[in-house]
Amino acid sequence: MNNNRQLKRLAGIVCLTLAGMGLTGLSHADTWRYAHEEYKGDVQDVFAHKFKEYIEDHSDHSLQIYRFGELGESDDIMEQTQAGILQFVDQSPGFTGALIPEAQIFFIPYLMPTDMDTVVKFFRESEAINKDFVELYAEQGLELLTMFPEGEMVVTADEPVTSPADFKGKKMRVMTNPLLSSTYEAFGATPTPLPWGEVYGALQTNMIQGQENPIFWIESGGLYEVSPNLIFTRHGWFTTAMMANQDFYNDLPDKDKKLVQSAADYAFEEIIKHIDGLAEKSLKKIMDASDDVTVTRLTDSQIEKFKARAPQVEKTFIDMTGDSGKALLEQFKEDLKQVSGS
Ligand code: 6CS
C-alpha cells in the first residue's frame, strides 16, 4: 500500500469512528427531570406532559415529571433546579419575588387585560415577556423557556365581598411575594403569605378568611369546600413560568437546544387550547358539587373602587425594583397597548 492509499484508508476509519461517536457516544439518550407546582391533570401538569410528549417523540431522551409535593414546595423545586438536581422547573412568579423582584409585576392589580384572547396575544407577542424576562431569569442561572397564563384570578372568602370595606379584618392568603401583600393591603384586607401546602388547612381552621386563585385550582384543590364565596374581581391572571437550569441548557448540543425550545412552544400552544373554557367547566363542577357556593361578579362601579387602589401598588412595585422594574413596567404597558390596539 503506497503512502497515499494508507492516508486515505486512515481518513476513512477516522470518519467512520466520528460518525459512530455521533450516533452512540455524543448523542446519548438522557433522562431529564422536571418538577412543577400542581396536581395530576392541572394546567402545569398538562403543560409538563405535552413538553414530555414532544421531547420523547422527537428524540431518544426521556422526561421524568414530579408533581406538587413529590419534591417539596415551590421554593424547594426552584432551589433544586438552580443546584442542577432538576433540569426543568415550573415556578409561578407568585413565588419568584425574592429571587427576581421584577417577576412581581403580575401582581399589580388591573394591569393585565381581562379577556382571554388579549391575554394570550400578550403572552405570544410581548417584548417584556419574551425578551426582558429572559434576561432577568438568566441573571439567576435560569433559561426561561416560556411564560403562560393559567386562568383569571378569582377571590374566595368566608362571605361575599363587594368593596374594600368588606375586606376589613379579613386575613387573605397570598402567595409569598411582598407585592401581592401590598395589593391586598391596598384592597383593605390583612395579607397572610403562605406556601400552597398550608392553604386548605388554614381556611378550614379559620386562620385565614380567604385567598385568590384561578377557578380550575379552586375546584381541583377543593378550596370551595372551605371558602365557598367566589368573587370575580377581574384584577389579574394567574401566570406561570417554565425554565431550565442554564448550565444544563448551555451545555446541550444545538439540536437539543432546538428540541427543548420547540417542545416548550408546542406545550404553550397546547395549553392555550386546554385553558379555553376551563374556567366555565370548573365552575360548573363546583356548583354541581356544593350548595353552599355563592358567585359574586363585581359590577363596573364596584370594580372602580378596587381599581382606584392600583396606582399605589404600582408605586410600591417601582420602589421595590428600581430602574429595572420601571423600565419593565413601561415595556409591559407598551406591549399591552399594542395587543389591545389602543
Ligand atoms: O396558590 C398557589 O399557591 C398555587 N396556585 C396555582 C394555580 N398553582 C400552583 C400554586 O402553588
Side-chain angles (χ1 to χ4, degrees):
M1 218 183 279
N2 66 29
N3 279 354
N4 222 356
R5 278 184 61 196
Q6 256 181 332
L7 269 177
K8 274 190 188 160
R9 203 170 150 244
L10 196 62
I13 292 168
V14 170
C15 281
L16 274 177
T17 311
L18 286 176
M21 279 172 72
L23 287 175
T24 54
L26 294 178
S27 64
H28 53 273
D30 280 320
T31 299
W32 295 331
R33 290 179 291 275
Y34 178 135
H36 67 73
E37 303 169 317
E38 298 182 350
Y39 303 109
K40 188 170 192 284
D42 286 330
V43 175
Q44 290 182 22
D45 194 49
V46 171
F47 184 99
H49 281 85
K50 292 290 175 188
F51 183 80
K52 172 183 166 80
E53 176 189 303
Y54 191 95
I55 297 281
E56 294 181 355
D57 283 355
H58 292 82
S59 75
D60 290 335
H61 302 309
S62 47
L63 201 75
Q64 170 79 45
I65 296 173
Y66 299 91
R67 298 189 174 110
F68 175 80
E70 291 177 23
L71 297 176
E73 281 281 357
S74 191
D75 285 348
D76 302 314
I77 56 177
M78 175 56 93
E79 266 176 36
Q80 290 156 18
T81 306
Q82 286 189 299
I85 299 165
L86 295 172
Q87 283 71 48
F88 299 100
V89 69
D90 185 327
Q91 191 194 51
S92 305
F95 295 107
T96 317
L99 196 63
I100 304 172
E102 292 87 345
Q104 301 176 104
I105 197 166
F106 296 101
F107 300 97
I108 299 174
Y110 299 102
L111 182 62
M112 292 290 283
T114 45
D115 75 292
M116 178 161 154
D117 288 349
T118 315
V119 170
V120 171
K121 198 159 184 261
F122 173 70
F123 277 88
R124 280 191 207 288
E125 297 176 12
S126 160
E127 189 171 320
I129 300 279
N130 297 298
K131 182 174 167 286
D132 299 350
F133 267 123
V134 174
E135 289 163 14
L136 289 165
Y137 276 79
E139 285 167 19
Q140 302 303 326
L142 298 162
E143 181 73 26
L144 180 65
L145 294 166
T146 191
M147 283 186 160
F148 56 93
E150 294 197 32
E152 184 190 336
M153 280 295 198
V154 176
V155 174
T156 70
D158 57 345
E159 55 191 352
V161 167
T162 57
S163 69
D166 291 344
F167 266 136
K168 195 168 163 27
K170 289 201 191 304
K171 289 203 195 102
M172 297 296 291
R173 178 268 175 165
V174 290
M175 284 181 282
T176 55
N177 79 78
L179 195 77
L180 189 52
S181 287
S182 304
T183 294
Y184 273 87
E185 251 159 36
F187 282 177
T190 306
T192 308
L194 286 179
W196 166 248
E198 291 173 35
V199 180
Y200 190 98
L203 286 165
Q204 196 171 32
T205 54
N206 201 32
M207 260 177 61
I208 52 172
Q209 286 76 48
Q211 61 86 45
E212 63 164 28
N213 252 307
I215 288 280
F216 85 84
W217 188 253
I218 294 169
E219 192 273 320
S220 83
L223 293 175
Y224 64 93
E225 298 161 355
V226 284
S227 191
N229 301 290
L230 275 47
I231 304 130
F232 287 73
T233 47
R234 315 203 78 183
H235 70 280
W237 273 68
F238 189 99
T239 294
T240 199
M242 186 269 189
M243 65 213 83
N245 171 293
Q246 203 171 40
D247 289 339
F248 153 77
Y249 180 84
N250 285 343
D251 286 346
L252 289 176
D254 283 351
K255 74 168 179 19
D256 281 346
K257 284 194 181 107
K258 221 170 140 237
L259 170 78
V260 163
Q261 293 285 350
S262 302
D265 293 346
Y266 169 73
F268 178 93
E269 295 306 328
E270 291 294 313
I271 217 61
I272 296 307
K273 286 187 232 159
H274 178 77
I275 63 169
D276 192 10
L278 181 62
E280 292 74 14
K281 273 185 248 160
S282 305
L283 184 57
K284 184 170 180 323
K285 280 193 202 160
I286 292 174
M287 300 309 282
D288 289 348
S290 166
D291 292 332
D292 297 331
V293 170
T294 71
V295 175
T296 304
R297 293 181 191 272
L298 296 192
T299 63
D300 288 348
S301 65
Q302 288 168 337
I303 287 177
E304 279 314 313
K305 298 228 167 62
F306 287 100
K307 229 184 208 175
R309 317 251 170 142
Q312 71 195 74
V313 183
E314 196 172 299
K315 188 178 170 306
T316 308
F317 174 76
I318 293 170
D319 292 345
M320 282 176 180
T321 55
D323 287 345
S324 152
K326 195 161 177 261
L328 183 75
L329 182 59
E330 276 164 20
Q331 185 61 54
F332 217 81
K333 287 185 175 174
E334 178 56 37
D335 296 347
L336 286 167
K337 224 193 314 175
Q338 296 289 333
V339 294
S340 313
S342 55

